[in-house]
Amino acid sequence: QCPWGAPNTASISCSLADVMSEQLAKELQLEEENAAFPEAVAVAEGPFITGENIDTSSDLMLAQMLQMEFDREYDAQLRREEKKINGDSKVSISFENYRKVHPYDSDSSEDEVDWQDTPHDPYRADKPTTTPRKGFIGKGKDITTKHDEVVCGRKNTARMENFAPEFQVGDGIGMDLKLSNQVFNALKQHAYSEERRSARLHEKKEHSTAEKAVDPKTRLLLYKMVNAGMLETITGCISTGKESVVFHAYGGKSVTEDKVIPPECAIKVFKTTLNEFKNRDKYIKDDYRFKDRFSKLNPRKIIRMWAEKEMHNLTRMQNAGIPCPQVVILKKHVLVMSFIGQDQVPAPKLKDVTLSSEDMKKAYYQILNMMQQLYKECNLVHADLSEYNMLWHDGKVWLIDVSQSVEPTHPHGLEFLFRDCRNVSQFFQKGGVAEALNERELFNAVSGLNITADNEVDFQAEIEALEKMNEDHVQNHGKKLPMFSSNGDPPIYDE
């Protein structure tokens, strides 16, 4: 027989009254179901609702009956899925929150037991059995003390719950885990170390500068400057150093009438990580301007004093006419200055620019004059002068980074000056400037002390003697010398 052939069924003629009969419709439906499903299968639990035992004259009642039947089938399906997923596992899941609870269904959950209403909670860890207060259990040869390996292992497993929440100890519900003392002590030490490390990282993130020196407090200061209109916009980072980071910004409107904000500004943000300032307190603790305010117990104040120190030094240099950045404003550890450069491009350092022999000679005499002005007019020693802290812009040299500059009467002021002279002399001698003096001649030319010594060792010994004399004078009289004695004013060199 062809499976797609039409069945040879004789049509049975019936009247219209028989077709509209509900009894005949039920009989035909039962015949079709028996033919398709020979064995009757109960789909849902509970008695089947028929029209014989319940009044079906109301549409609302019929709708409620259909909804109850659907809810029973849905709950039965959820129970089958729970049984399939859980199996024989000790940790089980429940779809109780997804079951249908119909207000008219009184038998829908009579065979279900909610685990939350029972004393046993499958999600609660079973407490390990430990020894009683007396220290042992059992009698005779079966005595088990508190030092038993199994008992200690279970106790150590339970004690892992006391670790910090950040330390993940895993899920051991239903497992008889036993940790040895050695493993537990190692985990405990590691948990404490991680907790301390996390605290340090949090402190560094909240109270210290990040890699680009923009921590939340610094961002707030910069935001206030932009919001006040002092700065129009901050474009980005132009220089990164050990102690500070410099950003470029466009200037806005002036806050006061006597303060003119330049079109382009440089924002110097001193890093507050303290790593680079721990060994540099010698530049500030002996400076009489900050000596009374210096405190090692509060290193963050040192950083603010460091920024304030650079502002005061730049102001002295600006008043003397030395080419340097112009101070705009100082807010805590953020110093806003004029930008040395043009169109967001900073002026190159002297070590990075290639100058002709004539320009190199011109730069040398400019630096020599600036060193003499610093010493005599500004009463300052740069203390970190080199080709890295000198910029070449508009055909002349500009001095930057004067936060560590001190006065000549500083206990190490002359040593710093001699170091500056050595750096300047070596750079220009290598650059081919024949007129460049050596470090001892340059020191005498700048300071006017005219120290006569045949070698560098004796020269430095006389410098130390002068510093010792000044220090003794300060200790005996409580004030610094106005200036080191010299035989005359230092000569002014020019081309």
PDB file of all heavy atoms in Angstrom, residues 183-197:
ATOM      1  N   VAL A 183      49.308  23.430  55.656  1.00  0.00           N
ATOM      2  CA  VAL A 183      48.601  24.064  54.548  1.00  0.00           C
ATOM      3  C   VAL A 183      47.740  25.219  55.058  1.00  0.00           C
ATOM      4  O   VAL A 183      47.683  26.298  54.450  1.00  0.00           O
ATOM      5  CB  VAL A 183      47.752  23.029  53.800  1.00  0.00           C
ATOM      6  CG1 VAL A 183      46.902  23.701  52.725  1.00  0.00           C
ATOM      7  CG2 VAL A 183      48.635  21.963  53.185  1.00  0.00           C
ATOM      8  N   PHE A 184      47.052  25.019  56.184  1.00  0.00           N
ATOM      9  CA  PHE A 184      46.184  26.070  56.721  1.00  0.00           C
ATOM     10  C   PHE A 184      46.995  27.303  57.116  1.00  0.00           C
ATOM     11  O   PHE A 184      46.592  28.439  56.845  1.00  0.00           O
ATOM     12  CB  PHE A 184      45.409  25.547  57.927  1.00  0.00           C
ATOM     13  CG  PHE A 184      44.603  26.603  58.619  1.00  0.00           C
ATOM     14  CD1 PHE A 184      43.407  27.047  58.082  1.00  0.00           C
ATOM     15  CD2 PHE A 184      45.051  27.178  59.802  1.00  0.00           C
ATOM     16  CE1 PHE A 184      42.667  28.034  58.715  1.00  0.00           C
ATOM     17  CE2 PHE A 184      44.314  28.160  60.434  1.00  0.00           C
ATOM     18  CZ  PHE A 184      43.121  28.586  59.884  1.00  0.00           C
ATOM     19  N   ASN A 185      48.143  27.117  57.759  1.00  0.00           N
ATOM     20  CA  ASN A 185      48.975  28.268  58.155  1.00  0.00           C
ATOM     21  C   ASN A 185      49.487  29.023  56.936  1.00  0.00           C
ATOM     22  O   ASN A 185      49.571  30.254  56.941  1.00  0.00           O
ATOM     23  CB  ASN A 185      50.134  27.790  59.023  1.00  0.00           C
ATOM     24  CG  ASN A 185      49.673  27.293  60.381  1.00  0.00           C
ATOM     25  OD1 ASN A 185      48.640  27.724  60.891  1.00  0.00           O
ATOM     26  ND2 ASN A 185      50.426  26.385  60.967  1.00  0.00           N
ATOM     27  N   ALA A 186      49.839  28.273  55.875  1.00  0.00           N
ATOM     28  CA  ALA A 186      50.301  28.940  54.656  1.00  0.00           C
ATOM     29  C   ALA A 186      49.176  29.756  54.017  1.00  0.00           C
ATOM     30  O   ALA A 186      49.379  30.892  53.571  1.00  0.00           O
ATOM     31  CB  ALA A 186      50.831  27.908  53.661  1.00  0.00           C
ATOM     32  N   LEU A 187      47.969  29.174  53.992  1.00  0.00           N
ATOM     33  CA  LEU A 187      46.833  29.912  53.442  1.00  0.00           C
ATOM     34  C   LEU A 187      46.504  31.138  54.287  1.00  0.00           C
ATOM     35  O   LEU A 187      46.175  32.205  53.764  1.00  0.00           O
ATOM     36  CB  LEU A 187      45.612  28.999  53.358  1.00  0.00           C
ATOM     37  CG  LEU A 187      45.598  27.965  52.230  1.00  0.00           C
ATOM     38  CD1 LEU A 187      44.389  27.061  52.367  1.00  0.00           C
ATOM     39  CD2 LEU A 187      45.592  28.646  50.873  1.00  0.00           C
ATOM     40  N   LYS A 188      46.588  30.979  55.604  1.00  0.00           N
ATOM     41  CA  LYS A 188      46.284  32.089  56.496  1.00  0.00           C
ATOM     42  C   LYS A 188      47.271  33.233  56.284  1.00  0.00           C
ATOM     43  O   LYS A 188      46.885  34.408  56.211  1.00  0.00           O
ATOM     44  CB  LYS A 188      46.330  31.597  57.933  1.00  0.00           C
ATOM     45  CG  LYS A 188      46.011  32.658  58.972  1.00  0.00           C
ATOM     46  CD  LYS A 188      46.074  32.074  60.378  1.00  0.00           C
ATOM     47  CE  LYS A 188      45.818  33.125  61.434  1.00  0.00           C
ATOM     48  NZ  LYS A 188      45.917  32.556  62.803  1.00  0.00           N
ATOM     49  N   GLN A 189      48.554  32.917  56.179  1.00  0.00           N
ATOM     50  CA  GLN A 189      49.567  33.946  55.961  1.00  0.00           C
ATOM     51  C   GLN A 189      49.371  34.625  54.608  1.00  0.00           C
ATOM     52  O   GLN A 189      49.500  35.856  54.476  1.00  0.00           O
ATOM     53  CB  GLN A 189      50.970  33.326  56.043  1.00  0.00           C
ATOM     54  CG  GLN A 189      52.100  34.335  55.930  1.00  0.00           C
ATOM     55  CD  GLN A 189      52.100  35.324  57.089  1.00  0.00           C
ATOM     56  OE1 GLN A 189      51.725  34.971  58.208  1.00  0.00           O
ATOM     57  NE2 GLN A 189      52.503  36.555  56.828  1.00  0.00           N
ATOM     58  N   HIS A 190      49.028  33.827  53.596  1.00  0.00           N
ATOM     59  CA  HIS A 190      48.799  34.390  52.267  1.00  0.00           C
ATOM     60  C   HIS A 190      47.572  35.299  52.271  1.00  0.00           C
ATOM     61  O   HIS A 190      47.560  36.351  51.616  1.00  0.00           O
ATOM     62  CB  HIS A 190      48.623  33.270  51.246  1.00  0.00           C
ATOM     63  CG  HIS A 190      48.381  33.761  49.844  1.00  0.00           C
ATOM     64  ND1 HIS A 190      49.327  34.454  49.127  1.00  0.00           N
ATOM     65  CD2 HIS A 190      47.288  33.668  49.045  1.00  0.00           C
ATOM     66  CE1 HIS A 190      48.841  34.768  47.940  1.00  0.00           C
ATOM     67  NE2 HIS A 190      47.596  34.302  47.872  1.00  0.00           N
ATOM     68  N   ALA A 191      46.523  34.905  53.009  1.00  0.00           N
ATOM     69  CA  ALA A 191      45.312  35.728  53.082  1.00  0.00           C
ATOM     70  C   ALA A 191      45.616  37.072  53.749  1.00  0.00           C
ATOM     71  O   ALA A 191      45.164  38.119  53.271  1.00  0.00           O
ATOM     72  CB  ALA A 191      44.223  34.983  53.853  1.00  0.00           C
ATOM     73  N   TYR A 192      46.396  37.061  54.823  1.00  0.00           N
ATOM     74  CA  TYR A 192      46.756  38.316  55.489  1.00  0.00           C
ATOM     75  C   TYR A 192      47.619  39.192  54.592  1.00  0.00           C
ATOM     76  O   TYR A 192      47.456  40.415  54.553  1.00  0.00           O
ATOM     77  CB  TYR A 192      47.487  38.024  56.801  1.00  0.00           C
ATOM     78  CG  TYR A 192      46.597  37.463  57.881  1.00  0.00           C
ATOM     79  CD1 TYR A 192      47.121  36.808  58.991  1.00  0.00           C
ATOM     80  CD2 TYR A 192      45.215  37.572  57.805  1.00  0.00           C
ATOM     81  CE1 TYR A 192      46.301  36.278  59.987  1.00  0.00           C
ATOM     82  CE2 TYR A 192      44.388  37.054  58.784  1.00  0.00           C
ATOM     83  CZ  TYR A 192      44.933  36.406  59.878  1.00  0.00           C
ATOM     84  OH  TYR A 192      44.113  35.893  60.834  1.00  0.00           O
ATOM     85  N   SER A 193      48.547  38.561  53.854  1.00  0.00           N
ATOM     86  CA  SER A 193      49.406  39.329  52.949  1.00  0.00           C
ATOM     87  C   SER A 193      48.587  39.976  51.841  1.00  0.00           C
ATOM     88  O   SER A 193      48.811  41.142  51.480  1.00  0.00           O
ATOM     89  CB  SER A 193      50.476  38.414  52.350  1.00  0.00           C
ATOM     90  OG  SER A 193      51.277  37.849  53.364  1.00  0.00           O
ATOM     91  N   GLU A 194      47.630  39.235  51.289  1.00  0.00           N
ATOM     92  CA  GLU A 194      46.790  39.793  50.233  1.00  0.00           C
ATOM     93  C   GLU A 194      45.920  40.933  50.760  1.00  0.00           C
ATOM     94  O   GLU A 194      45.696  41.927  50.068  1.00  0.00           O
ATOM     95  CB  GLU A 194      45.895  38.686  49.644  1.00  0.00           C
ATOM     96  CG  GLU A 194      46.641  37.705  48.764  1.00  0.00           C
ATOM     97  CD  GLU A 194      47.171  38.364  47.513  1.00  0.00           C
ATOM     98  OE1 GLU A 194      46.413  39.068  46.839  1.00  0.00           O
ATOM     99  OE2 GLU A 194      48.373  38.191  47.220  1.00  0.00           O
ATOM    100  N   GLU A 195      45.459  40.791  51.997  1.00  0.00           N
ATOM    101  CA  GLU A 195      44.637  41.844  52.582  1.00  0.00           C
ATOM    102  C   GLU A 195      45.441  43.125  52.777  1.00  0.00           C
ATOM    103  O   GLU A 195      44.963  44.228  52.478  1.00  0.00           O
ATOM    104  CB  GLU A 195      44.067  41.361  53.912  1.00  0.00           C
ATOM    105  CG  GLU A 195      43.040  42.306  54.527  1.00  0.00           C
ATOM    106  CD  GLU A 195      42.447  41.746  55.802  1.00  0.00           C
ATOM    107  OE1 GLU A 195      42.876  40.649  56.235  1.00  0.00           O
ATOM    108  OE2 GLU A 195      41.555  42.398  56.376  1.00  0.00           O
ATOM    109  N   ARG A 196      46.680  42.997  53.255  1.00  0.00           N
ATOM    110  CA  ARG A 196      47.529  44.179  53.421  1.00  0.00           C
ATOM    111  C   ARG A 196      47.886  44.796  52.072  1.00  0.00           C
ATOM    112  O   ARG A 196      47.907  46.017  51.921  1.00  0.00           O
ATOM    113  CB  ARG A 196      48.791  43.804  54.197  1.00  0.00           C
ATOM    114  CG  ARG A 196      48.550  43.475  55.655  1.00  0.00           C
ATOM    115  CD  ARG A 196      49.853  43.455  56.429  1.00  0.00           C
ATOM    116  NE  ARG A 196      50.762  42.452  55.922  1.00  0.00           N
ATOM    117  CZ  ARG A 196      50.843  41.205  56.376  1.00  0.00           C
ATOM    118  NH1 ARG A 196      50.037  40.810  57.348  1.00  0.00           N
ATOM    119  NH2 ARG A 196      51.699  40.356  55.865  1.00  0.00           N
ATOM    120  N   ARG A 197      48.180  43.943  51.079  1.00  0.00           N
ATOM    121  CA  ARG A 197      48.514  44.457  49.757  1.00  0.00           C
ATOM    122  C   ARG A 197      47.335  45.187  49.138  1.00  0.00           C
ATOM    123  O   ARG A 197      47.481  46.247  48.520  1.00  0.00           O
ATOM    124  CB  ARG A 197      48.947  43.314  48.847  1.00  0.00           C
ATOM    125  CG  ARG A 197      49.497  43.762  47.500  1.00  0.00           C
ATOM    126  CD  ARG A 197      49.883  42.572  46.653  1.00  0.00           C
ATOM    127  NE  ARG A 197      48.703  41.851  46.237  1.00  0.00           N
ATOM    128  CZ  ARG A 197      48.006  42.126  45.125  1.00  0.00           C
ATOM    129  NH1 ARG A 197      48.396  43.125  44.344  1.00  0.00           N
ATOM    130  NH2 ARG A 197      46.962  41.431  44.797  1.00  0.00           N
TER     131      ARG A 197
END
